[in-house]
Amino acid sequence: MEKAYLVRYNDCYGNGDNKTDEIIVKSKDDFNRWLKERNEEREEAGEIEENAEEFDLIELEIFK
């Protein structure tokens, strides 16, 4: 059995209606790398960066 994490945008600064599932990552380090890349893309597009607190990591168990 392996563990992975579903990354869910939690809309903590909104009314909670815009929660979305974003990606599945293998580790919390992978989440941090993904968020860094995402924010680099957002910066290039002139958008505001997102913080880790805006996402929930939901642990998944992967059976093989």
Side-chain angles (χ1 to χ4, degrees), residues 14-63:
N15 61 10
D17 287 344
N18 292 319
K19 294 180 181 181
T20 56
D21 296 341
E22 299 290 335
I23 192 170
I24 294 175
V25 295
K26 290 187 176 186
S27 69
K28 292 178 182 180
D29 287 337
D30 285 346
F31 164 72
N32 291 326
R33 281 191 289 277
W34 171 81
L35 184 58
K36 182 180 176 186
E37 288 178 18
R38 177 182 177 97
N39 280 329
E40 288 171 357
E41 292 172 2
R42 291 179 66 85
E43 184 179 356
E44 289 174 6
E47 298 175 346
I48 298 171
E49 289 187 8
E50 294 172 316
N51 298 313
E53 66 192 19
E54 296 179 71
F55 297 91
D56 295 324
L57 296 178
I58 301 166
E59 189 173 295
L60 306 172
E61 293 180 356
I62 309 294
F63 295 93

